[in-house]
Amino acid sequence: MDKQFEPKYGKDAVARAMLYFSLKYTDEIEASHKKEIDVSLLLKWHENFIFHPTFIKVITTLLSMKFKAVAIHGSIIQLI
């Protein structure tokens, strides 16, 4: 039985939600589950769509807790 799931619609929302929760709750995710998260696929789904303004605010806040600076341009996140 195949354990993978790929939504037909809303891949951008799924990708951003997964990225959000894996950043916000990184310490609560078991190591075995972290290994199963295909970050490159999530980023690919994310890059196909422009950010929603609410997402920009939330992800910028979260990333700025871990990095010195965050810049968002279209669908590109730059971490400094």
Side-chain angles (χ1 to χ4, degrees), residues 1-2 9-11 28 43 45 54 57 77 79:
M1 183 175 174
D2 190 7
Y9 308 102
K11 290 181 182 179
E28 285 81 14
L43 289 172
W45 288 356
T54 303
K57 183 177 180 180
I77 300 174
L79 305 173

Side-chain angles (χ1 to χ4, degrees), residues 1-6:
M1 183 175 174
D2 190 7
K3 293 183 180 182
Q4 294 183 350
F5 169 77
E6 183 172 331

Side-chain angles (χ1 to χ4, degrees), residues 4-6 10 15 17 23 26 29 33 36 38 44 46-47:
Q4 294 183 350
F5 169 77
E6 183 172 331
L23 284 168
T26 190
I29 301 172
H33 294 296
E36 295 181 24
D38 188 346
K44 179 181 170 187
H46 149 76
E47 289 171 356

Side-chain angles (χ1 to χ4, degrees), residues 24-69:
K24 178 141 178 85
Y25 301 105
T26 190
D27 296 334
E28 285 81 14
I29 301 172
E30 293 179 20
S32 61
H33 294 296
K34 284 182 187 179
K35 292 177 185 176
E36 295 181 24
I37 299 172
D38 188 346
V39 174
S40 63
L41 177 63
L42 294 175
L43 289 172
K44 179 181 170 187
W45 288 356
H46 149 76
E47 289 171 356
N48 290 319
F49 300 90
I50 300 297
F51 287 121
H52 185 278
T54 303
F55 177 80
I56 291 174
K57 183 177 180 180
V58 170
I59 202 71
T60 303
T61 302
L62 287 172
L63 290 172
S64 65
M65 293 177 195
K66 296 186 181 273
F67 299 94
K68 292 180 183 178

